[in-house]
Structure formats: C-alpha cells, structure tokens
C-alpha cells in the first residue's frame, strides 16, 4: 500500500523577498528624508520622544545618547538598504525587525505604516531565519524527486509558512477593520468624506494636483466615487483569502494603484510601502516566485515544497516509483 507524501510549501521565494525589500525601503525613506529634530521631538501631554518606557526602552534609540541619534539613524539606513538588496536574509532578518521596532516605538511622527512594518518585519523574520539563500531574489531549487528533505528544512518551512499565513490573516483583518470602521460615519455613508480629506490642512491634496483634483472633488459624483470605491476595494481585499487565486491576481494591481494614489494625494509614502508589502503577502500564494525577479541557477519552478517522508508503518512496495503527486498547501 502506497501513501501520499505530505508537502509543506517552501516559503523562500522572491515574492516574500519583494515584501521584505518594500518594508525596508519604506523605513529607510522615513529615516533618510526626515531630520533627527523632526523624528525625535516633544509631543504635548506625552513628552519627548523616544519615551523609553516599558518595552520601548529596548529600542535602539533608547540605548544611545541623544547626541548620537544622527549617527544611529544613518547606520540604520545602511542596514535597511542591505536588507532591501536581498543579501543573506537569514542574517539580516533580526536586524530588520529590530530597526522596525525601534523606529515605530521611538519616533514622534509615527503612523499606521510604521506599525504595520514592525508587525510584518517580525513575521517575515520567522520566514527569513530558515532562508539559506545568498539573495532573497533567488528561486530555491526543488528537492530531488523521491529524496525527502531534512527534518530541519521541514521545520523551518513549516515555521515560515505559518508566519506568512499569519501575515495574510493580519492584512485581511486590517482591510476589514479599515472598511467597516468607516461605515458608521455620516460623511462616509453619504459619500462626502473625501471632500473633507482633500481639503485637510495636514493630509490634503497637494497644490500642484489641484487643477486635476478640484473638479473631481467638487463634483457630487466624483467625490462620491472617491469616497465609496476605496471602501468597496478594502472590503474586497478583506475577503481575498476566500476567493480563488485568479481573483486575487486581479485585486493585486488595484490594491497597488490604490495605495499609490494615497501616497501621491496625501503624502503617506512609508504607509504605501508597508501596504504594498502586505498586499504581496496577502494576494500571492505562499512560496510563489515572480519569473522576472528570479535570479540564480534554478528558474524551473515558481513554487517548491519540502516533502515529508511517508509513514514508517507503510510497507515498502518494490517496482518502479510512482509519479510524484502535487504538494499539498498545508501539512496534513
């Protein structure tokens, strides 16, 4: 009697690598294009940042004197650029997560993008710790047919796949909360919310785009579309894990364009990079590789699997080996 081999998808693909790169570039941009005086300053009723209280006291900016913040800021940028390059993900995983935490917990002007970056970089660190490739752009070679991978490889693959799955659930919940939280507010219900956001003193549309955006915002149909289409798209992204893969592929360019629009119109670039990373994790299959990004010796398969050996209790069957079956997406 033959038993089917149990497969664990190998999560070490350039899709997760692209997500790491986007996260690192977003944080590097925050540190490089914002001055130390802007990032670390007093906030009314709260105090001077970094606060260094409780768990946040472990952040990098709490471990050096304030006079060395500039040096630490640029050292962090260098590390993040190394992470973004894709070099040795196993070695850069924890420094990436630690810098993301230090920025999120230490700066005075943090936004939702910094929090998302910290959470996703921590989850992706669990993927990267098992990634032995030189570059995270390389396509991993599939295990040889009939030769089971090592127990350590299966363990790291299971940990990485689990972390990627948690990241997908986190992104789905994030989009669900973002859409549902808008519904009770009158401005979102009647379609006028984007009129107020467009003219907001902090996040309003830039002056150089006003000739294009003002006619749309001042039109009842235009402002209603700007208000309701994002809510509908966020609801669709929240339900993406319930859809077949072909529909997730269709949502990917829509989600990228959506966050590009937010970045251009409202200036939230670090938020956009974090959400783009989250979109690739949410909408691409675990272990998927993009052929255009693939480097290295093996480009034969976009998704590989670590095969577990059959049960020891199954009797050996002589004769020709049967064709390998397609890997299951989860451990059975």
């Amino acid at each position: 009697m033959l038993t089917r081999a149990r497969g664990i998808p190998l999560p070490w693909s350039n899709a997760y690598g692209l997500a790491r790169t986007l996260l690192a570039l977003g944080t590097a941009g925050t540190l490089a294009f914002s001055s130390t005086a802007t990032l670390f300053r007093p906030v009314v009723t709260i105090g001077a940042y970094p606060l260094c209280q409780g768990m946040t006291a472990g952040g990098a900016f709490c471990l050096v004197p304030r006079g060395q913040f500039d040096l630490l800021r640029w050292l962090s940028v260098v590390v993040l650029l190394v992470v973004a390059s894709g070099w040795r993900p196993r070695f850069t995983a924890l420094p990436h997560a630690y810098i993301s935490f230090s920025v999120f917990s230490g700066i005075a002007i943090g936004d939702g993008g910094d929090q998302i970056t910290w959470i996703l970089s921590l989850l992706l660190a669990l993927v990267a710790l098992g990634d032995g490739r030189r570059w995270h752009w390389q396509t991993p070679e599939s295990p040889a047919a009939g030769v089971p991978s090592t127990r350590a490889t299966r363990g790291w693959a299971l940990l990485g796949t689990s972390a990627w799955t948690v990241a997908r659930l986190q992104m789905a919940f994030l989009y669900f909360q973002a859409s549902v939280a808008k519904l009770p507010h009158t401005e979102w219900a009647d379609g006028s919310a984007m009129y107020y956001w467009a003219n907001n003193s902090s996040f309003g549309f830039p002056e150089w785009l006003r000739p294009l955006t003002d006619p749309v915002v001042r039109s009842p149909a235009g402002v209603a579309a700007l208000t309701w289409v994002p809510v509908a798209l966020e609801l669709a992204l929240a339900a993406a894990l319930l859809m077949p893969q072909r529909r997730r592929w269709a949502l990917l360019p829509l989600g990228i364009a959506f966050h590009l629009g937010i970045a251009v119109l409202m200036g939230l670039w670090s938020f956009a990079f974090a959400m783009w990373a989250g979109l690739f994790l949410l909408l691409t299959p675990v272990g998927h590789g993009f052929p255009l990004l693939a480097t290295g010796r093996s480009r034969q398969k976009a998704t590989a699997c670590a095969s577990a050996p059959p049960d020891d209790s199954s009797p050996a069957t002589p004769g020709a080996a049967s064709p390998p079956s397609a890997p299951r997406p989860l451990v059975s």
Side-chain angles (χ1 to χ4, degrees):
M1 178 179 178
L2 293 176
T3 60
R4 290 186 63 183
R6 299 185 295 273
I8 303 170
L10 294 181
W12 308 302
S13 65
N14 58 34
Y16 113 90
L18 179 58
R20 292 184 75 235
T21 293
L22 290 169
L23 292 172
L25 288 177
T27 307
T30 297
L31 294 174
F33 297 111
S34 303
S35 67
T36 299
T38 301
L39 293 172
F40 307 102
R41 61 184 182 184
V43 175
V44 178
T45 74
I46 298 178
Y49 276 78
L51 297 177
C52 301
Q53 299 173 354
M55 188 176 71
T56 65
F61 294 97
C62 291
L63 302 181
V64 299
R66 184 170 289 269
Q68 296 182 8
F69 278 8
D70 261 334
L71 175 61
L72 180 58
R73 181 166 63 91
W74 286 110
L75 285 176
S76 298
V77 170
V78 171
V79 173
L80 289 168
L81 291 179
V82 173
V83 174
S85 74
W87 181 77
R88 295 294 186 188
R90 174 174 288 170
F91 301 146
T92 58
L94 294 180
H96 181 200
Y98 180 63
I99 292 174
S100 299
F101 166 74
S102 299
V103 171
F104 164 64
S105 63
I107 64 175
I109 58 171
D111 58 27
D114 299 310
Q115 184 174 16
I116 296 164
T117 296
W118 150 235
I119 293 172
L120 292 183
S121 63
L122 178 61
L123 291 170
L124 290 186
L126 300 179
V127 184
L129 285 173
D131 189 352
R133 295 174 295 168
R134 182 182 295 273
W135 301 95
H136 68 205
W137 307 111
Q138 291 176 305
T139 300
E141 294 187 7
S142 302
V147 179
S149 60
T150 65
R151 183 181 299 272
T153 300
R154 294 197 301 273
W156 283 115
L158 179 58
L159 178 64
T161 300
S162 301
W164 191 330
T165 301
V166 172
R168 300 173 91 183
L169 294 173
Q170 171 69 64
M171 292 303 301
F173 179 79
L174 188 155
Y175 280 115
F176 176 77
Q177 193 276 337
S179 57
V180 172
K182 296 180 176 73
L183 300 181
H185 298 279
T186 302
E187 295 82 3
W188 287 98
D190 64 18
S192 64
M194 286 307 300
Y195 173 84
Y196 302 104
W197 278 112
N199 295 285
N200 184 275
S201 58
S202 300
F203 299 102
F205 295 172
E207 290 297 329
W208 61 274
L209 273 178
R210 291 287 182 172
L212 295 176
T213 59
D214 280 354
V216 178
V217 172
R218 292 172 181 171
S219 162
V223 74
L226 284 177
T227 301
W228 290 334
V229 168
V231 176
L233 179 58
E234 287 170 340
L235 281 172
L237 290 168
L241 294 180
L242 304 177
M243 301 179 185
Q245 185 58 49
R246 66 180 184 277
R247 294 187 180 174
R248 297 181 203 172
W249 287 129
L251 285 173
L252 183 58
L254 296 178
I256 292 173
F258 171 52
H259 290 292
L260 177 62
I262 293 176
V264 172
L265 294 175
M266 306 179 76
L268 299 176
W269 284 98
S270 62
F271 177 75
F273 275 87
M275 297 306 291
W276 286 333
L279 281 172
F280 281 106
L281 296 174
L282 173 65
L283 299 176
T284 60
V286 173
H288 176 79
F290 295 102
L292 291 179
L293 298 177
T295 62
R297 292 175 297 174
S298 175
R299 299 189 185 188
Q300 295 178 354
K301 293 186 70 175
T303 305
C305 75
S307 298
D311 295 336
D312 294 337
S313 59
S314 60
T317 302
S322 59
S325 58
R328 297 181 183 179
L330 296 175
V331 179
S332 56

